[in-house]
Amino acid sequence: MTYTLHVNGDLYQLDVPPQRSLLQALRDDLRLMGTREACGVGMCGSCTVLVDGKAVSGCLTLVPQVIGKQIITVEGLAKEGKLHPVQQAFLDHHAFQCSFCTPGFIMATIALLTEKPQPSEDEIREYLAGNLCRCGSYPEILLAVRWLIENRPSDSWESIPPEEQPSVETNR
Amino acid sequence: MRAVGQPTALLDARARVDGSLPFILNLTLPGMLYARVLRSLYPHARITRIDTSIAARAPGVVAVTTGRELAEDGSINHLYGIGHPDQPIMAVDKVRYVGEGVAIVAAETIEQAEAALDLIDVDYESLPSVDNEFDAIAPGAPILHDGADRNIIRHFKLRHGDVQAAFAASDYVIEETYSSPAAQQVTMEPHVSVAQFDGSQLTVHTASQSPYGVRRVLTEIFNLEPEQVRVIVGPLGGGYGAKGHVRLEPLVAAIARKTNGRPVKLVATRAEEFVIVTKHAATMRIKTGIMRDGTLTAREVTSWWNTGAYADAGYMLTKGGLLRSIGPYRIPAVSADAYQIYTNRPPAAAFRGAMAAQGEWTFESHMDSLAHAIGMDPLELRRRNLLREGDAWATGEVMHDVHYRDCLDEVQRLLGDEPPIERAAGHVRRGRGAAVMMKNSQSPSRSEARVALRDNGRATVFTSSVEMGQGAHTAMAQIAADQLGLPVDSVDVVGPDTAQTPFDQVTSGSRTTYMMGNAVRRAAEAVADEIRQLGARRYQVQPDATTLADGQLYASNGQCLPYSDLLQWAGLPKIEMLREFQTESKLDENSQGVACSHWHQGAGACEVEVDIETGKLTVTRFAGASWAGKVVNSAHARAQDQGNIIYGLGQTLFEEMVFDGGQVMNASLADYPIPSLLDVPYVLKTSSLQSEKPDAEMYGIGEMTLPCVAPAVANALYDAVGIRIRTLPLTPERILRALREKDGLSVDQVEEGTG
């Protein structure tokens, strides 16, 4: 089957079977390696991406489910070499060790603060409990999120890039 | 400003937040094939027939091999293992655990490799199996390894003083038995290796904590010279001991011999991770003599380590386990025995805080039991008996740089008395507990480092220490920067790649900051000496009349020159130095002598809430301390101290691999939970303690606050509700059951938990 995926502002044509997961499509077909598999069953959040602004597990989502939707991965966050404020906050607060889970946490944090700009401590913990960090960088992640809540950047927070005429690329 | 001690961001921090960090998992090479492994469904069985002929002809399949084929190949040595080579690359005549490799397929796609596994025909003849360490040593137990007469691989012992006489002279002698189950390290990045043969030249890209260990084993298996095996390691998505020794490398190299030079990639699935390596399940019996005033007189410990079907790294780990089962106390008479035991389970090896976690669980819970028996405050009992500077320990060695008490004082201070503990509030009860940590460092041990200063003014550290998020590479850059008089961002770190970075034993056991740190310091110091010599020649002053700072050489006569200009003046493209650092140890057959040059030290203290209606235990406050000597990177030292506590809470409260008939029943993160943000105590405070001496050593702190977590929490549970649980994890079912038993209710009145 041929599907057109809208990823990070670009359109990609994929010739894949309908059971292809979004995670596989991103990693194996589009070579976007920031989205990662650690559990494969939607428990760890390492494959979290934004689909129309909502945090979604790439391993539990099939390619046909996201046709016509805008997908943002960690590779789509930095603009003209400048990190997204959430990426910068994670960096500034040392909010990672091995960093395998970090892109997933960053995507989930963007979704959290987009949905709820002023979450309480418990709301942060509840929301991000779907992302696992085995190194245990949780305290620094909390610091980064709290800093973002206090210092919400004034420039565009939008995670969805502005509409443009994307060029179509294919994987075959 | 000196770099050491600063909260320096990881050198590759940007790649860590933009998703571009080059994990081996991401690696694709031209022409690369994908491998899948057929694994045993039986815990113990003879392989009576194996037929791969149909699989070999399946679509996309390029190569298939079996354990038997490898065993019959006269050109390779198919058995490996550290100190006790008993493990075949894949099972030959029999399988010894569920999940053991039987055959491997390489195909054009991973789906084709997976599909081909179904076409391999294996006939098994089931054999009786043993799951736990006691069944394995019972008379008549099935023997795992042909030719052996028992399932004990090795018995290590320590004898120090007359324990029986001391027990006889003690006011009390108290004996308890503790156990802790197998657990999974759960690195978020699974094991992954890529192997390629170019003629007789083997290149392996692998997620390993031990590049030189992998190279040594591969040279032994495939009869290659060290120069013929190149091992390249990328940044690791977690290690925690799981990647401390060879894992997938022999398998993927074995199939890569048959692919006509095409590289082969093998990635473990999450379910496979649970059968590749585990934490040792262990049972320990501890017996201590004590006087009414709290003086410890004698201790006897016997530990049984369930090492799984193969010795793996468990051989040397069990020796460590012996030393880690005793405790940091002045006890005149000590006797300890440690048994490494085969069972039909996946191999057990290092697990963050290796073997110390099981030992600490035992002796630090036991310390509270001793205190309660004589009616003394548990912290007072510890302070009375903790090792002090110059004391002799159970090995007979004199202990130096002793800070157990400092660590204990620190966690008590961090936990604080404000607000005062509210002991009872209806169905929620509160308690506090503490524990002290002691672990011998790996010894003997050796690390080499090469440092180069180039004529562009930048320096490179060549190291085979592995960066797995602990900040090793950044720490090495900080250490080199200070010696060279350079800012950290002028220092690059290269490695590990055995073709260009020198020897390092392994990145584990909190050894890197001390061992590799000293090797890097020495190499950078040697480079700095050369710069001074050049500067002395350039400006006609004595070398000690020069100063190195900010990338420039300053001469006492007021002149200065950037390193780049100095090297160009001298016509040198670079100044490069290799240095090593090593430690020695010597223990006799009774473990008397010197175990190591440095003992890891730490402590933990916590406050818990126990819901007596549900059995739910919540750790509300936790304080941890580690002895660092000198902190290299304050941000990442804190991350290690905190991360250890959070990691340790998993094995304390819920992590347990559940086996049924040799099969892991919860080999998925849906069934094997690990700590999430919901498990992080609301108050979490840590501290890495430092020496006031300017020349203090820099010690690793990668595990110090982990082993104390389980006993500290169990001691707090006892403080809260008066129950002593001697089996981990401290699940609500166990707590509720113990509460009912304490109240004299039948255990049948408690619903049985399911797992």
Side-chain angles (χ1 to χ4, degrees):
Chain A
M1 294 285 290
T2 301
Y3 301 98
T4 302
L5 277 192
H6 194 157
V7 181
N8 298 333
D10 290 323
L11 291 177
Y12 297 89
Q13 243 168 33
L14 297 186
D15 185 11
V16 295
Q19 70 271 26
R20 192 79 161 167
S21 74
L22 176 57
L23 171 64
Q24 285 177 301
L26 292 172
R27 282 187 69 85
D28 300 340
D29 301 322
L30 305 184
R31 308 292 302 162
L32 295 170
M33 295 302 190
T35 307
R36 293 162 189 154
E37 174 175 343
C39 75
V41 291
M43 298 301 296
C44 75
S46 297
C47 62
T48 305
V49 295
L50 300 180
V51 175
D52 283 351
K54 300 270 188 228
V56 160
S57 289
C59 71
L60 297 183
T61 306
L62 300 181
V63 167
Q65 293 176 287
V66 293
I67 302 310
K69 299 184 176 177
Q70 297 205 43
I71 299 151
I72 304 293
T73 72
V74 71
E75 289 88 353
L77 296 179
K79 293 285 172 280
E80 288 157 7
K82 189 169 179 289
L83 292 175
H84 187 282
V86 175
Q87 289 175 303
Q88 191 64 48
F90 271 61
L91 196 159
D92 292 342
H93 291 85
H94 309 278
F96 44 80
Q97 290 175 55
C98 85
S99 321
F100 196 84
C101 67
T102 308
F105 264 103
I106 288 171
M107 303 316 284
T109 300
I110 292 172
L112 163 65
L113 298 182
T114 304
E115 286 170 31
K116 195 163 183 90
Q118 299 287 328
S120 68
E121 173 79 15
D122 283 341
E123 284 169 337
I124 300 170
R125 288 177 181 238
E126 285 282 348
Y127 197 98
L128 296 180
N131 290 72
L132 298 175
C133 168
R134 186 57 154 170
C135 299
S137 284
Y138 296 125
E140 289 87 352
I141 291 169
L142 287 173
L143 287 177
V145 175
R146 287 189 205 117
W147 184 90
L148 284 160
I149 294 167
E150 294 294 312
N151 302 276
R152 183 109 181 186
S154 55
D155 59 334
S156 172
W157 177 256
E158 285 302 307
S159 53
I160 312 291
E163 274 305 321
E164 50 200 49
Q165 262 332 80
S167 59
V168 176
E169 297 176 30
T170 66
N171 70 324
R172 293 287 144 92
Chain B
M1 188 171 68
R2 291 181 68 80
V4 167
Q6 299 302 313
T8 307
L10 296 183
L11 300 175
D12 49 8
R14 190 181 164 103
R16 291 172 183 271
V17 297
D18 72 13
S20 66
L21 198 68
F23 293 111
I24 300 296
L25 190 66
N26 301 350
L27 183 70
T28 304
L29 296 175
M32 193 167 81
L33 301 168
Y34 297 86
R36 294 288 293 130
V37 179
L38 183 69
R39 294 182 178 277
S40 165
L41 302 172
Y42 292 83
H44 199 190
R46 291 222 172 269
I47 300 173
T48 54
R49 190 180 68 93
I50 182 161
D51 181 357
T52 59
S53 58
I54 300 173
R57 295 193 302 271
V61 171
V62 173
V64 183
T65 192
T66 64
R68 178 160 298 171
E69 185 179 290
L70 294 169
E72 288 168 356
D73 184 335
S75 69
I76 65 171
N77 308 305
H78 77 115
L79 291 176
Y80 65 94
I82 298 169
H84 190 85
D86 60 353
Q87 185 164 9
I89 300 170
M90 289 184 289
V92 183
D93 296 323
K94 68 177 192 174
V95 291
R96 295 182 177 87
Y97 66 95
V98 176
E100 182 168 10
V102 172
I104 182 169
V105 174
E108 299 290 343
T109 70
I110 199 155
E111 293 81 6
Q112 289 170 331
E114 181 77 38
L117 295 186
D118 289 341
L119 303 174
I120 298 174
D121 214 4
V122 190
D123 290 343
Y124 295 99
E125 186 184 299
S126 184
L127 297 168
S129 63
V130 285
D131 180 64
N132 78 52
E133 53 274 24
F134 293 110
D135 292 347
I137 57 174
I143 302 295
L144 268 78
H145 290 265
D146 299 343
D149 58 357
R150 59 178 194 169
N151 290 320
I152 294 172
I153 304 170
R154 183 74 188 261
H155 166 212
F156 293 100
K157 64 177 196 259
L158 179 143
R159 300 288 180 264
H160 184 79
D162 188 342
V163 170
Q164 298 313 322
F167 278 151
S170 301
D171 287 339
Y172 300 92
V173 177
I174 292 165
E175 180 181 313
E176 293 181 287
T177 299
Y178 287 83
S179 67
S180 48
Q184 224 292 310
Q185 289 86 348
V186 190
T187 60
M188 300 306 278
E189 175 202 37
H191 287 85
V192 48
S193 303
V194 180
Q196 182 170 25
F197 270 99
D198 180 1
S200 60
Q201 192 74 33
L202 170 62
T203 302
V204 176
H205 300 260
T206 187
S208 172
Q209 295 169 239
S210 182
Y212 272 86
V214 168
R215 189 180 76 160
R216 184 178 51 75
V217 173
L218 293 177
T219 57
E220 288 168 4
I221 290 177
F222 297 105
N223 280 315
L224 297 168
E225 297 302 321
E227 300 73 31
Q228 291 175 298
V229 180
R230 179 179 183 185
V231 178
I232 302 167
V233 171
L236 261 56
Y240 325 116
K243 299 169 181 170
H245 308 281
V246 279
R247 295 286 164 229
L248 301 181
E249 297 88 354
L251 271 171
V252 73
I255 193 71
R257 294 167 84 231
K258 298 182 72 175
T259 58
N260 220 359
R262 292 178 69 179
V264 185
K265 184 175 190 176
L266 178 58
V267 182
T269 64
R270 183 54 58 187
E272 285 180 304
E273 286 290 304
F274 283 79
V275 295
I276 288 173
V277 61
T278 76
K279 179 186 179 183
H280 283 82
T283 303
M284 293 190 192
R285 192 177 60 213
I286 187 165
K287 185 175 173 183
T288 304
I290 186 169
M291 305 306 284
R292 277 184 197 88
D293 70 355
T295 306
L296 301 182
T297 55
R299 175 163 287 177
E300 189 179 83
V301 192
T302 308
S303 54
W304 294 271
W305 302 87
N306 185 336
T307 209
Y310 297 102
D312 200 275
Y315 186 74
M316 59 161 199
L317 284 166
T318 306
K319 196 173 177 180
L322 175 85
L323 299 172
R324 295 165 196 168
S325 69
I326 295 165
Y329 300 103
R330 278 176 287 124
I331 311 177
V334 178
S335 173
D337 296 89
Y339 297 92
Q340 187 194 10
I341 299 167
Y342 285 130
T343 62
N344 293 109
R345 280 192 180 189
F351 186 102
R352 198 171 187 177
M355 315 310 251
Q358 296 93 328
E360 297 279 326
W361 162 239
T362 303
F363 66 71
E364 281 302 273
S365 296
H366 182 62
M367 282 301 283
D368 270 40
S369 291
L370 293 170
H372 298 311
I374 61 165
M376 183 178 273
D377 175 72
L379 295 191
E380 171 59 23
L381 178 66
R382 284 181 176 79
R383 290 200 173 93
R384 196 172 269 256
N385 291 284
L386 276 171
L387 291 167
R388 298 179 201 142
E389 191 71 29
D391 280 343
W393 191 62
T395 50
E397 70 198 271
V398 176
M399 308 298 274
H400 296 295
D401 206 13
V402 176
H403 300 279
Y404 299 103
R405 184 165 175 163
D406 297 335
C407 291
L408 185 60
D409 290 348
E410 179 68 2
V411 293
Q412 198 176 14
R413 186 185 72 77
L414 288 173
L415 194 67
D417 294 326
E418 294 296 329
I421 185 165
E422 285 180 53
R423 290 222 159 249
H427 60 97
V428 174
R429 308 294 166 85
R430 294 190 181 83
R432 288 183 178 175
V436 182
M437 183 273 187
M438 171 194 216
K439 185 180 183 226
N440 56 309
S441 58
Q442 283 178 28
S443 203
S445 192
R446 190 166 73 85
S447 294
E448 294 177 359
R450 207 164 71 240
V451 172
L453 177 72
R454 299 173 197 282
D455 65 2
N456 62 2
R458 293 188 66 81
T460 305
V461 175
F462 295 87
T463 176
S464 294
S465 289
V466 176
E467 177 54 63
M468 46 193 180
Q470 85 282 40
H473 283 193
T474 306
M476 295 308 122
Q478 290 173 268
I479 290 166
D482 281 354
Q483 296 300 325
L484 295 170
L486 279 174
V488 176
D489 57 13
S490 293
V491 181
D492 303 306
V493 179
V494 168
D497 173 356
T498 58
Q500 57 170 331
T501 57
F503 177 82
D504 185 29
Q505 195 153 302
V506 61
T507 303
S508 73
S510 308
R511 69 181 286 284
T512 300
T513 302
Y514 180 57
M515 297 301 304
M516 185 57 73
N518 271 305
V520 167
R521 183 181 54 75
R522 286 179 174 183
E525 225 168 44
V527 170
D529 286 346
E530 284 297 306
I531 304 171
R532 287 198 186 87
Q533 292 289 346
L534 286 183
R537 257 171 52 206
R538 175 77 175 78
Y539 292 119
Q540 303 296 315
V541 293
Q542 289 301 310
D544 58 10
T546 62
T547 311
L548 308 182
D550 310 323
Q552 307 211 50
L553 175 123
Y554 295 85
S556 57
N557 59 14
Q559 304 197 71
C560 74
L561 197 62
Y563 298 157
S564 50
D565 293 356
L566 188 63
L567 264 69
Q568 283 160 24
W569 168 79
L572 293 173
K574 64 180 176 183
I575 300 171
E576 189 162 15
M577 294 289 172
L578 173 76
R579 289 292 182 273
E580 69 167 13
F581 186 73
Q582 58 183 329
T583 57
E584 301 295 341
S585 62
K586 184 133 186 72
L587 291 178
D588 66 18
E589 58 177 14
N590 287 318
S591 300
Q592 296 300 289
V594 176
C596 60
S597 58
H598 170 67
W599 290 81
H600 297 309
Q601 302 165 65
C606 66
E607 184 171 312
V608 305
E609 285 182 0
V610 184
D611 186 324
I612 59 171
E613 288 179 2
T614 64
K616 168 88 175 148
L617 184 155
T618 306
V619 179
T620 50
R621 302 156 71 84
F622 203 106
S626 56
W627 174 252
K630 186 193 285 183
V631 169
V632 178
N633 187 321
S634 53
H636 284 272
R638 190 179 64 235
Q640 291 283 297
D641 286 334
Q642 293 175 345
N644 273 316
I645 292 166
I646 295 164
Y647 195 103
L649 284 171
Q651 300 90 58
T652 301
L653 298 177
F654 43 79
E655 286 182 38
E656 173 172 18
M657 285 177 63
V658 178
F659 288 85
D660 184 5
Q663 173 86 39
V664 186
M665 302 306 289
N666 55 346
S668 151
L669 292 193
D671 300 316
Y672 183 98
I674 62 173
S676 80
L677 259 169
L678 297 177
D679 301 299
V680 178
Y682 275 83
V683 177
L684 180 60
K685 295 179 177 175
T686 60
S687 169
S688 276
L689 298 177
Q690 305 195 65
S691 168
E692 282 164 10
K693 296 179 195 153
D695 60 344
E697 283 286 357
M698 306 164 289
Y699 295 117
I701 46 93
E703 304 164 296
M704 304 324 99
T705 51
L706 192 155
C708 21
V709 174
V713 172
N715 291 339
L717 171 66
Y718 184 92
D719 186 51
V721 292
I723 56 171
R724 174 60 60 191
I725 293 183
R726 298 184 179 84
T727 305
L728 284 177
L730 304 173
T731 58
E733 290 88 345
R734 286 208 171 102
I735 292 171
L736 201 54
R737 179 178 285 265
L739 284 167
R740 296 288 174 96
E741 284 175 350
K742 177 170 167 264
D743 291 344
L745 294 170
S746 155
V747 289
D748 297 335
Q749 289 168 264
V750 184
E751 225 170 279
E752 185 65 55
T754 52

